[in-house]
Amino acid sequence: MTANRRQMKLGAFLWATGHHIAAWRHPNAHVTAGIDIDHYIQLARTAEAAKFDLIFCEDAAGLREANIAIASQTSRSIGFEPISLLAALAAQTSHIGLVATASTSYNEPYGLARAFSSLDQISGGRSGWNLVTSASHIEAANFGSTGLRPHSDRYERAREFATVVAGLWHGDGANALNHDGRNFSVRDPLDLPPSPQGAPVMVQAGASDEGRDLAARTADVVFTAAQTFEEAKAFYDDLKARLVACGREPDDIKIMPGVAPVVAASEAEARAKVDELQELIPDDVGVALLSSYLSTDLSAYPVDGPLPELPATEGMQSRQALVVEQSRRDNLSIRQLARHFAGARGHWRVVGTPAQIADELQARFEGGAADGFNVMPSYFPGELDAFATLVVPELQRRGLFRQDYEGRTLREHLGLKKPVRK
Amino acid sequence: MTANRRQMKLGAFLWATGHHIAAWRHPNAHVTAGIDIDHYIQLARTAEAAKFDLIFCEDAAGLREANIAIASQTSRSIGFEPISLLAALAAQTSHIGLVATASTSYNEPYGLARAFSSLDQISGGRSGWNLVTSASHIEAANFGSTGLRPHSDRYERAREFATVVAGLWHGDGANALNHDGRNFSVRDPLDLPPSPQGAPVMVQAGASDEGRDLAARTADVVFTAAQTFEEAKAFYDDLKARLVACGREPDDIKIMPGVAPVVAASEAEARAKVDELQELIPDDVGVALLSSYLSTDLSAYPVDGPLPELPATEGMQSRQALVVEQSRRDNLSIRQLARHFAGARGHWRVVGTPAQIADELQARFEGGAADGFNVMPSYFPGELDAFATLVVPELQRRGLFRQDYEGRTLREHLGLKKPVRK
């Protein structure tokens, strides 16, 4: 509880009805949350009152599921476009950071840099861009007929895209950028001056070798998925080593793994909450969701049998590997893996009392496996409220999380340097 | 003053410091208005309190002036990206329509349709998209090295773009769009359901033959520039005839020419306000701005001489013609034309008392030359306040403008049918 103790960073990952696949079937869930701006305003204010560093919004330019059976059995397939959502939330909040996902495959760097700079001005220096290269065939089909491009091509474009955006955000605004590259040609400086935080925060979540390399060179924050402490620690050490190899300091990137907490006054009550949600997942939906994530149709395999060998695909290679690894490690059947995966989308789930959850977070934080966490409540607003009112005060009591904001910008919350325009 | 009298529609065209080129030099102007969200919130609330149908934001993905001498002598070159701006304003207003400009040349239809649908949901059915094909070489240089594409190519892409967007907005959301065209290939339905107004309002401003044709087939609102009653009337009649030829009803499009009003309690006072602004325009800036608009360098011609013959360009062909026509008609020197043009950007300027301005608007409205007007104040907030407090009440007294909103959506304000998804 010393004044200068290192404190963890917390993100609130907002996603429509909730992160659990069956969230919309929960009796306390808000089924049309994805298109209810007042719902999002309420969540943002809850997170801000609890002093979260940021709220985070995923995105995909298309339906979230190719399988119409899944799409019609979740409420995830509808939702706001993130820039407009976060701009509206900027006008209803004063401190919390606002991070939106946007694709390097289906945008142009000048347009994207402008939109995030604009959000940064509107919010007084609170915006962040989560760079994704878009691994889904569904989006590809809405942006031309050529299909999903190979992983390495997407990353080659993403690298150049990130270079251009950084040039626009960090340039002096008076001189032309004059970028002329393989994918993009961009002449002018940006038509917006620096915000109070200098430039939007750059967030990434790619876990492949190419993804980690790009993050080490350009990211301020990295979201990641890790089931075990060892996985989280290995990722953390690897990325910080790459960072140093790029001439940056270890603290220049905040690594924030996803965590799906289920908290209650007693452990038994928390377990009962998990079971209630897991039982709401129909087998066919769980298996179809897992099939979609692994880009492999599992419906023909026995649901009580093990996961078959998978072919390599152009999808999320590194995250697939984590799921496969877990199924082998825990000797899970397809049904068990499907339910487990559907419940937390491959992220780390912690279940228990506020003290138990704080113990788990503290162990990874102090063990050098995380700089903070991206919190993924199973359904909204109930489980965000529970985390904010039960877990956050426990973390504060332990001196592991701020009692109040010390600054106004997202970079100040995260302890990141303010970039100087060159 | 009968209850069912046809009433005019009013847009408030918000643009940073103001529409007059020298607005930023005015002693009462707000120089950094372009990046001050509280300034925009104040303007939106002023327009909403005065019962305007909508606020309108122009856009260009780049600096507004290629000539750095002009760019550094105006405050127009910085400003918010419109989707983020209008989403923030949506959260701070309740009734007024929110129309943003976006380009068919530098966006993809699926992404653009999502952003405007999202703004439509966030605002409860108040969004509109002003389709532009982007005639500026400046933007082209920020989106690839191939340069500005020919006018007809841009319109061919725009037509297909508008078709895809309309398909996404008006489709039933359950069936695939399966568009496979020359420029775009888009498979899925949109991931957002219809807003309370059914779909965003489609706005256009193209005045060329191809532009009018596209508007007649797809637009709900058309902004236009016309100096004289005759020009306005000719445009109005032509577009309504094209509309009928497309099988639509004359009232399916609202034609709203731009108007740059300068109002004061007495005519002498209003004239003095104009003169004060005009004298703030340096000759070199006025000539450079006119050169930029006409895509012709006029700096080598005698500033007291007439406009030279101009070559045809790929820029805004039809609007150029209006400016040239005015210089011939009024026998203006380059300096006079430059000052006149710089002051109102080629739009109709009306100067006088509230009654005089109401007379002018009423004549065009009742003479069948306009369904309403897009109001372009010379500087903000002063001249918007003046219009809202002096001219609007005069129009209301005459029964020419609403006393209060009757509906909540932009389509309801404009008297447009709510589209039914097929």
Side-chain angles (χ1 to χ4, degrees):
Chain A
M1 195 98 80
T2 60
N4 293 319
R5 183 167 184 174
R6 173 174 167 258
Q7 293 188 319
M8 62 177 69
K9 310 303 173 188
L10 288 181
F13 188 162
L14 306 187
W15 200 16
T17 309
H19 287 270
H20 194 281
I21 183 73
W24 67 282
R25 302 184 70 191
H26 191 279
N28 295 340
H30 177 10
V31 178
T32 58
I35 52 162
D36 180 351
I37 188 65
D38 293 326
H39 170 77
Y40 274 97
I41 292 171
Q42 180 196 339
L43 299 183
R45 287 179 172 166
T46 297
E48 186 168 80
K51 316 301 178 195
F52 275 70
D53 294 78
L54 57 92
I55 55 178
F56 173 73
C57 295
E58 64 88 49
D59 193 43
L63 302 177
R64 295 300 191 279
E65 293 294 339
N67 184 327
I68 202 76
I70 307 177
S72 61
Q73 290 192 63
T74 80
S75 51
R76 283 183 194 158
S77 286
I78 56 168
F80 297 116
E81 175 276 333
I83 290 281
S84 48
L85 171 59
L86 291 183
L89 297 182
Q92 297 281 342
T93 54
S94 59
H95 284 76
I96 198 161
L98 307 161
V99 178
T101 298
S103 171
T104 54
S105 293
Y106 308 121
N107 287 289
E108 288 277 331
Y110 198 92
L112 182 141
R114 279 184 83 221
F116 279 90
S117 276
S118 187
L119 178 60
D120 212 31
Q121 288 287 347
I122 288 168
S123 62
R126 297 188 279 137
S127 88
W129 169 38
N130 179 40
L131 179 163
V132 297
T133 68
S134 300
S136 158
H137 286 276
I138 304 174
E139 289 171 280
N142 295 334
F143 290 83
S145 53
T146 50
L148 185 62
R149 301 198 304 168
H151 189 272
S152 60
D153 283 13
R154 293 203 310 274
Y155 267 93
E156 194 253 318
R157 181 181 161 108
R159 279 190 293 271
E160 188 182 339
F161 198 116
T163 302
V164 173
V165 170
L168 291 168
W169 284 349
H170 300 155
D172 69 358
N175 293 298
L177 182 70
N178 287 329
H179 174 90
D180 194 5
R182 185 167 155 193
N183 298 280
F184 308 110
S185 165
V186 180
R187 187 186 64 190
D188 285 344
L190 209 57
D191 58 341
L192 280 157
S195 82
Q197 71 172 344
V201 169
M202 183 85 93
V203 181
Q204 287 173 41
S208 67
D209 191 59
E210 283 178 301
R212 294 181 194 204
D213 246 19
L214 181 59
R217 286 191 288 110
T218 61
D220 299 309
V221 171
V222 169
F223 292 149
T224 172
Q227 291 288 339
T228 65
F229 177 86
E230 289 69 29
E231 280 167 17
K233 175 76 178 155
F235 179 87
Y236 188 95
D237 289 343
D238 177 69
L239 192 61
K240 297 273 174 165
R242 289 176 194 244
L243 191 63
V244 172
C246 293
R248 301 175 69 194
E249 292 169 31
D251 217 32
D252 286 351
I253 287 186
K254 307 299 173 187
I255 299 176
M256 298 171 68
V259 61
V262 180
V263 60
S266 73
E267 187 179 341
E269 206 183 321
R271 297 252 162 241
K273 282 167 77 172
V274 174
D275 292 344
E276 182 186 7
L277 276 162
Q278 293 296 87
E279 279 162 24
L280 296 174
I281 307 172
D283 273 350
D284 61 337
V285 170
V287 172
L289 185 74
L290 187 62
S291 298
S292 171
Y293 193 77
L294 297 178
S295 305
T296 303
D297 183 4
L298 298 170
S299 61
Y301 297 90
V303 73
D304 289 313
L307 198 63
E309 290 299 317
L310 298 180
T313 74
E314 289 295 339
M316 302 183 202
Q317 299 172 329
S318 48
R319 293 210 178 167
Q320 281 184 350
L322 288 183
V323 172
V324 175
E325 195 178 311
Q326 185 182 14
S327 80
R328 307 280 181 250
R329 185 180 64 230
D330 299 343
N331 197 25
L332 300 177
S333 69
I334 288 178
R335 177 190 283 122
Q336 288 171 318
L337 184 66
R339 283 205 169 187
H340 183 85
F341 172 76
R345 294 175 46 237
H347 281 272
W348 179 40
R349 181 148 60 194
V350 289
V351 181
T353 64
Q356 286 175 316
I357 288 176
D359 286 347
E360 296 266 14
L361 299 181
Q362 183 167 5
R364 292 209 181 181
F365 176 65
E366 293 186 339
D371 296 314
F373 303 94
N374 202 12
V375 179
M376 303 166 66
S378 54
Y379 70 89
F380 292 109
E383 289 297 317
L384 178 64
D385 291 343
F387 191 91
T389 57
L390 298 174
V391 180
V392 167
E394 178 63 28
L395 295 171
Q396 290 171 326
R397 263 191 296 278
R398 299 182 187 193
L400 291 167
F401 191 60
R402 68 174 63 84
Q403 300 277 349
D404 202 354
Y405 294 109
E406 297 100 27
R408 287 298 286 270
T409 72
L410 178 53
R411 285 184 185 277
E412 287 170 336
H413 304 336
L414 293 171
L416 293 168
K417 295 169 193 144
K418 179 174 170 176
V420 180
R421 289 211 178 182
K422 297 180 242 334
Chain B
M1 195 99 80
T2 59
N4 293 318
R5 182 168 185 174
R6 174 174 167 258
Q7 294 188 318
M8 63 177 69
K9 310 303 172 189
L10 289 180
F13 187 163
L14 305 188
W15 199 16
T17 309
H19 287 270
H20 194 281
I21 183 73
W24 66 284
R25 302 185 70 191
H26 191 279
N28 296 339
H30 177 11
V31 178
T32 57
I35 51 162
D36 181 350
I37 188 64
D38 293 326
H39 171 77
Y40 274 97
I41 291 170
Q42 180 195 339
L43 300 183
R45 287 179 172 166
T46 297
E48 186 168 80
K51 317 302 177 194
F52 275 69
D53 294 79
L54 56 91
I55 56 178
F56 173 73
C57 295
E58 64 88 50
D59 192 44
L63 301 177
R64 296 301 190 279
E65 293 295 340
N67 184 326
I68 202 75
I70 307 176
S72 60
Q73 290 191 62
T74 79
S75 52
R76 283 182 193 158
S77 286
I78 55 169
F80 297 116
E81 175 276 334
I83 290 281
S84 48
L85 171 60
L86 292 183
L89 297 183
Q92 297 281 343
T93 54
S94 59
H95 284 76
I96 198 161
L98 307 160
V99 178
T101 298
S103 170
T104 55
S105 293
Y106 308 121
N107 287 290
E108 288 277 332
Y110 198 92
L112 183 141
R114 279 184 83 221
F116 279 90
S117 276
S118 186
L119 179 60
D120 213 30
Q121 288 287 347
I122 287 168
S123 62
R126 297 188 279 136
S127 88
W129 168 39
N130 178 41
L131 180 161
V132 297
T133 68
S134 300
S136 158
H137 286 275
I138 305 175
E139 289 171 279
N142 296 334
F143 290 83
S145 54
T146 50
L148 185 62
R149 301 199 305 169
H151 189 272
S152 59
D153 282 14
R154 293 202 311 274
Y155 267 93
E156 193 253 317
R157 180 179 162 109
R159 279 190 293 273
E160 188 181 338
F161 198 115
T163 301
V164 173
V165 170
L168 292 168
W169 284 349
H170 300 156
D172 68 359
N175 292 297
L177 183 69
N178 287 329
H179 174 90
D180 194 5
R182 185 167 155 193
N183 299 280
F184 307 110
S185 166
V186 180
R187 186 185 67 190
D188 285 343
L190 209 57
D191 57 342
L192 281 156
S195 82
Q197 71 171 345
V201 169
M202 184 85 93
V203 181
Q204 286 173 42
S208 67
D209 191 60
E210 284 178 300
R212 293 181 195 204
D213 245 22
L214 181 59
R217 286 191 287 109
T218 61
D220 299 308
V221 171
V222 170
F223 293 148
T224 173
Q227 291 287 338
T228 66
F229 176 87
E230 290 69 29
E231 280 168 16
K233 175 77 178 155
F235 179 86
Y236 188 95
D237 290 343
D238 176 70
L239 193 61
K240 297 273 174 164
R242 289 176 193 245
L243 191 62
V244 173
C246 292
R248 301 175 69 195
E249 291 169 33
D251 217 31
D252 286 351
I253 287 186
K254 307 300 171 185
I255 299 177
M256 299 171 68
V259 61
V262 180
V263 61
S266 72
E267 188 180 339
E269 206 184 321
R271 298 253 162 239
K273 282 167 77 172
V274 174
D275 291 344
E276 182 185 6
L277 275 163
Q278 292 297 87
E279 279 162 23
L280 296 174
I281 308 172
D283 272 351
D284 61 336
V285 170
V287 172
L289 185 73
L290 187 62
S291 298
S292 170
Y293 192 77
L294 297 178
S295 304
T296 302
D297 182 4
L298 298 170
S299 62
Y301 296 91
V303 73
D304 289 315
L307 199 64
E309 290 300 317
L310 298 181
T313 74
E314 289 296 340
M316 302 182 201
Q317 298 172 331
S318 48
R319 292 208 178 168
Q320 281 183 351
L322 288 182
V323 172
V324 175
E325 195 178 311
Q326 184 182 15
S327 81
R328 306 280 181 250
R329 185 180 63 231
D330 299 343
N331 197 26
L332 299 178
S333 69
I334 289 178
R335 176 188 284 124
Q336 288 170 319
L337 184 66
R339 282 203 169 186
H340 183 85
F341 173 77
R345 293 176 45 237
H347 281 271
W348 180 39
R349 182 150 59 194
V350 289
V351 181
T353 64
Q356 287 174 316
I357 288 175
D359 287 348
E360 296 266 14
L361 299 181
Q362 183 167 4
R364 293 208 180 181
F365 176 65
E366 294 186 340
D371 296 314
F373 302 94
N374 201 13
V375 179
M376 304 165 65
S378 54
Y379 70 89
F380 292 109
E383 289 297 317
L384 178 64
D385 291 343
F387 190 90
T389 57
L390 298 173
V391 180
V392 167
E394 178 63 26
L395 295 172
Q396 289 170 327
R397 263 191 295 278
R398 299 182 186 194
L400 290 167
F401 190 61
R402 68 173 65 84
Q403 301 277 348
D404 203 354
Y405 294 109
E406 297 99 29
R408 287 299 288 268
T409 73
L410 178 53
R411 285 184 186 276
E412 286 169 338
H413 306 335
L414 293 171
L416 293 168
K417 296 167 192 145
K418 179 174 172 176
V420 181
R421 290 212 176 181
K422 299 179 239 338

